[in-house]
Amino acid sequence: MTSFDTSPQLNVWRALLALAVVFVMLATTGWTALRNQRGPTALEASVTAWEHGRIDGRRLPDAQSAPARLARFFASLSDWQRRSLARRYPLAVGNMNGAPVELRYLANRAALRKAREVERLRMHDTRLSPSGQREAGRRVHRYDSLLDPDRRILAFDPAGSGKVAEVFGNLDRADRVSVVVPGVDTELLTFQRTVRKYSAPAGMAESLYAAEHTVSPDTRTAVIAWADYTSPSGLGLEAATAARAADGSFRLNALLRALPGRAPVSLFCHSYGSVVCGLAADGLPGRVTDIAVAGSPGMRVEKAAHLNTSARVWAMRDADDWIQDVPYLEVGGLGHGADPVSAAFGARVLSARGAQGHSGYFVPGTESLRNFAEIGVGAYGTVACAGENGTCRAGLSEAAAA
């Protein structure tokens, strides 16, 4: 072995190559192609129309105004006026942080119906390839499902691969709010799954909501399945950088600042979603009390203390999760930093018993899901730590929920 073989430069390049190879070779899902966009998207067109609109001669506020200002604007309107705006500008209102959540649900139902009609036409458009027509059919099926009367769609954007967020429970009356932040290959068509239900955002959130009720039946909870950012497609080099996560962190904080009420909020961040949460950490509103990551490739910092947040930081990883084989480093923009379950990182490390691999953390009956649920309702004194000494509970009690 020569001195060149052990030079720092060579070691860096070896690390970069290993990182690239591991991300590509561990890919378990296919690439998702974005549809080409020509001109403004439907959401952009709706926002533009809003910005030129009026209600009974009164100009509408900037759609990008602070949530508090928009909330005051909507509060000043009659119920008929609010509903009128939701019908006229469904995508703008449905994605407007500061609009009443019930009005957003109403607006997104209207937007989903319009999007469904567009895709129904595309199913029979001979200018499209057979695969394009099949994708349109899959979208129609997804819209049919999202339009179920019992579903509460908090955000929806049909552009590209699509974005969506769904609420389980009553967000306005919740004592505790949980937000599930998923990882790669999160889009409209993968928002929910029949097979491997609990590996998809909707299934994760639904499972967490049920588990929180089991852990604390008297606590009114709401859980948001938040797939309202453009995640990397597959586990290639795009997933090894923070570009998608940076945009996602901005969008996540915008949501959190606009949530109604004052209930404590917990973030549950899976896989690449933990990169989003790591970048969002230093801008989180004070009501966010906990950040829990599972199957994390890193949070873009070397230590939990570097996240610059007052929220408690929790981490878990199943023993069979392939993510442990990803190099935990960050060099030249590739990689996401230290391993969140390592002792040096400083997170509170939870048991993930029963999770079975990378996508099983929200499966009913697992210790990982129960731990998430207990954090979600503030039952910190009963969470199960990864070790036998209970160090993850150090300094905590039920009183910490306040």
Side-chain angles (χ1 to χ4, degrees):
M1 182 177 294
T2 66
S3 59
F4 177 78
D5 290 331
T6 58
S7 69
Q9 293 90 343
L10 182 60
N11 288 335
V12 167
W13 281 109
R14 281 175 172 168
L16 288 171
L17 179 61
L19 187 65
V21 170
V22 168
F23 269 107
V24 173
M25 295 302 292
L26 288 175
T28 58
T29 54
W31 292 85
T32 302
L34 296 179
R35 297 188 300 176
N36 291 332
Q37 297 294 334
R38 296 179 181 176
T41 66
L43 174 55
E44 289 167 346
S46 185
V47 171
T48 297
W50 166 279
E51 290 174 347
H52 292 88
R54 292 176 178 269
I55 183 74
D56 292 342
R58 179 180 174 187
R59 292 195 62 178
L60 303 179
D62 187 332
Q64 304 302 321
S65 297
R69 183 188 174 194
L70 289 168
R72 289 193 299 270
F73 166 73
F74 282 106
S76 72
L77 303 178
S78 67
D79 183 63
W80 181 90
Q81 289 174 319
R82 287 190 288 269
R83 287 174 174 269
S84 175
L85 290 175
R87 289 191 297 269
R88 287 159 55 190
Y89 314 105
L91 280 171
V93 175
N95 291 278
M96 191 173 290
N97 290 318
V101 292
E102 293 291 338
L103 190 67
R104 291 180 68 169
Y105 301 156
L106 178 68
N108 283 318
R109 288 187 64 79
L112 282 161
R113 285 193 292 267
K114 287 187 176 182
R116 181 174 60 181
E117 291 309 307
V118 169
E119 296 303 329
R120 280 177 174 165
L121 292 174
R122 284 168 50 84
M123 287 174 62
H124 307 289
D125 189 339
T126 57
R127 294 170 299 178
L128 296 180
S129 66
S131 63
Q133 292 174 331
R134 286 193 295 271
E135 182 191 357
R138 289 193 294 270
R139 282 182 169 241
V140 168
H141 179 72
R142 175 64 69 245
Y143 295 152
D144 283 339
S145 178
L146 293 173
L147 280 165
D148 184 287
D150 293 331
R151 301 188 75 168
R152 303 174 179 88
I153 306 305
L154 185 66
F156 167 63
D157 182 1
S161 57
K163 303 183 188 74
V164 63
E166 181 176 10
V167 175
F168 295 84
N170 190 318
L171 195 54
D172 283 316
R173 300 183 59 203
D175 299 320
R176 308 276 307 194
V177 176
S178 298
V179 182
V180 174
V181 182
V184 301
D185 283 324
T186 294
E187 57 174 65
L188 185 69
L189 294 179
T190 60
F191 181 67
Q192 62 191 66
R193 293 189 177 102
T194 301
V195 179
R196 296 174 61 241
K197 173 180 179 179
Y198 304 110
S199 66
M204 293 176 179
E206 181 182 6
S207 181
L208 179 58
Y209 179 64
E212 288 178 347
H213 180 72
T214 298
V215 167
S216 182
D218 295 330
T219 302
R220 295 177 300 188
T221 65
V223 180
I224 301 173
W226 189 76
D228 193 26
Y229 80 107
T230 302
S231 73
S233 297
L235 295 175
L237 289 178
E238 187 179 56
T241 70
R244 298 293 192 187
D247 178 66
S249 68
F250 177 82
R251 296 178 67 85
L252 177 60
N253 264 317
L255 165 82
L256 296 171
R257 288 191 293 269
L259 290 177
R262 298 182 179 179
V265 177
S266 300
L267 303 181
F268 299 93
C269 319
H270 177 245
S271 193
Y272 189 84
S274 65
V275 185
V276 176
C277 292
L279 292 179
D282 65 355
L284 294 173
R287 64 189 291 190
V288 177
T289 58
D290 299 274
I291 305 172
V293 302
S296 174
M299 300 182 74
R300 304 296 293 187
V301 293
E302 292 304 306
K303 295 181 180 296
H306 297 169
L307 292 170
N308 296 321
T309 177
S310 60
R312 288 170 284 270
V313 181
W314 309 80
M316 67 169 69
R317 185 175 66 216
D318 180 68
D320 296 325
D321 190 337
W322 54 257
I323 202 74
Q324 64 191 305
D325 296 323
V326 171
Y328 283 96
L329 48 82
E330 189 277 320
V331 180
L334 285 175
H336 301 302
D339 183 355
V341 302
S342 67
F345 188 78
R348 298 174 182 271
V349 184
L350 297 159
S351 169
R353 186 175 296 127
Q356 297 185 352
H358 188 62
S359 301
Y361 294 99
F362 291 84
V363 173
T366 59
E367 200 158 68
S368 54
L369 176 63
R370 182 175 179 84
N371 274 332
F372 280 167
E374 289 173 335
I375 291 170
V377 300
Y380 304 105
T382 54
V383 296
C385 302
E388 299 297 327
N389 53 12
T391 55
C392 76
R393 299 189 299 271
L396 296 179
S397 67
E398 303 303 318

